[in-house]
Amino acid sequence: MLADLTANSVADALARRETKPLADVEAAALARPPALDALEALRPASHIKIIAEIKRSSPSRGALAQIADPAALARSYELGGASAISVLTEGRKFGGSLADLEAVRAAVALPVLRKDFIATPYQVFEARAAGADLVLLIVAALDDTTLRELYDLIVALGMTPLIETHSADELERAAALGAQLIGVNARDLSTFELDRDLFGRLADRFPDGAVRVAESAVLSPADVAHYRASGADVVLIGEALVTGDPIANLSAFLAV
Ligand SMILES: O=P(O)(O)OC[C@@H](O)[C@@H](O)c1c[nH]c2ccccc12
């Protein structure tokens, strides 16, 4: 399933490349004002930090929310105290687009993450051209050579890679990259099964100094407290924020 999601995202990027050649996207990426310092925004603090996600649907959960105006939702996230915003740009299963990312970028002063199945340099240039400050790389979807190439390109463009893992072995691969921002996704992207305790089991295997991000499966403040107690610096929350009152939910999540 992860392989299909990635193959589809790469195919969609190749189709866009027909009308927007790499040289154009590269030029647009380099013409952007510099990316925001996401590592600074997500630096460990005395309180948990939240990356708030804009996601219309997912293969595991189906339709979640219409989100006619992603910029307005992003402004609510900013008002509610989020430290960064994640925008799903995958179109087929998650209902997102690069236009969503651009609209969000224009609406808020927070760092913005391109959340997609990134496997080619073209997609990284697209992210920067749309105004992304962070780009997600999923270790399970990439071989080490590609992972290194994309990681270095993200950094060279002034952005911050968020390296997503789902096992001790993948955490080691993230550490070998020198990654400073590493996530553990509670959801296995091959089976879509949730393991809420995976983050806790892996928390002390993060490399020294890395910012520790717990991804997925937060529905209540108790879930945030559980991740915090297990060592998370940051939690990435989608479903609970797009289906409920974003400002009220953020303030409850930040109060733990
Ligand atoms: O909606 P949730 O359970 O709060 O999860 C958010 C986020 O972690 C999830 O959307 C996600 C994490 N990693 C991904 C990779 C691709 C697509 C989606 C994701």
Side-chain angles (χ1 to χ4, degrees):
M1 275 177 253
L2 176 58
D4 296 336
L5 288 163
T6 304
N8 288 339
S9 275
V10 169
D12 290 347
L14 265 177
R16 289 191 295 274
R17 194 172 167 166
E18 294 291 314
T19 51
K20 265 199 181 183
L22 176 63
D24 292 9
V25 177
E26 203 174 327
L30 297 175
R32 275 272 175 187
L36 301 176
D37 187 347
L39 267 183
E40 172 58 26
L42 298 171
R43 193 162 46 90
S46 57
H47 61 92
I48 191 109
K49 293 186 174 179
I50 294 178
I51 303 176
E53 183 157 281
I54 295 181
K55 172 167 75 173
R56 292 192 180 85
S57 57
S58 74
S60 58
R61 306 289 294 135
L64 294 167
Q66 295 278 346
I67 318 182
D69 187 350
L73 181 56
R75 279 191 291 267
S76 297
Y77 287 166
E78 186 170 47
L79 272 173
S83 293
I85 297 181
S86 164
V87 181
L88 250 310
T89 59
E90 198 277 350
R92 300 192 198 195
K93 298 286 183 187
F94 293 86
S97 68
L98 283 164
D100 290 344
L101 179 58
E102 283 193 64
V104 168
R105 163 73 294 143
V108 297
L110 296 175
V112 177
L113 167 74
R114 180 179 189 190
K115 177 79 87 75
D116 205 322
F117 300 88
I118 306 282
T120 61
Y122 185 84
Q123 294 165 291
V124 174
F125 284 115
E126 281 185 322
R128 186 79 275 270
D133 307 293
L134 298 127
V135 177
L136 185 81
L137 295 179
I138 302 168
V139 170
L142 302 167
D143 61 55
D144 278 328
T145 307
T146 310
L147 194 56
R148 166 57 67 195
E149 177 193 13
L150 297 174
Y151 184 94
D152 288 347
L153 179 60
I154 292 164
V155 172
L157 291 173
M159 299 185 288
T160 303
L162 169 56
I163 306 301
E164 177 170 310
T165 67
H166 190 70
S167 67
D169 178 58
E170 289 177 15
L171 254 183
E172 264 176 41
R173 294 177 62 201
L177 285 170
Q180 291 172 284
L181 182 64
I182 303 177
V184 170
N185 192 356
R187 194 177 297 282
D188 184 325
L189 290 171
S190 297
T191 61
F192 294 142
E193 271 170 42
L194 271 185
D195 179 350
R196 286 190 160 75
D197 296 317
L198 182 64
F199 178 88
R201 294 202 301 279
L202 296 179
D204 52 10
R205 294 174 179 259
F206 278 69
D208 284 347
V211 177
R212 300 189 284 184
V213 184
E215 303 177 51
S216 305
V218 166
L219 291 176
S220 70
D223 298 325
V224 178
H226 176 65
Y227 276 144
R228 183 62 167 166
S230 311
D233 302 306
V234 177
V235 288
L236 202 164
I237 308 176
E239 178 173 346
L241 295 176
V242 300
T243 56
D245 176 336
I247 296 185
N249 284 340
L250 274 169
S251 79
F253 294 155
L254 285 167
V256 304

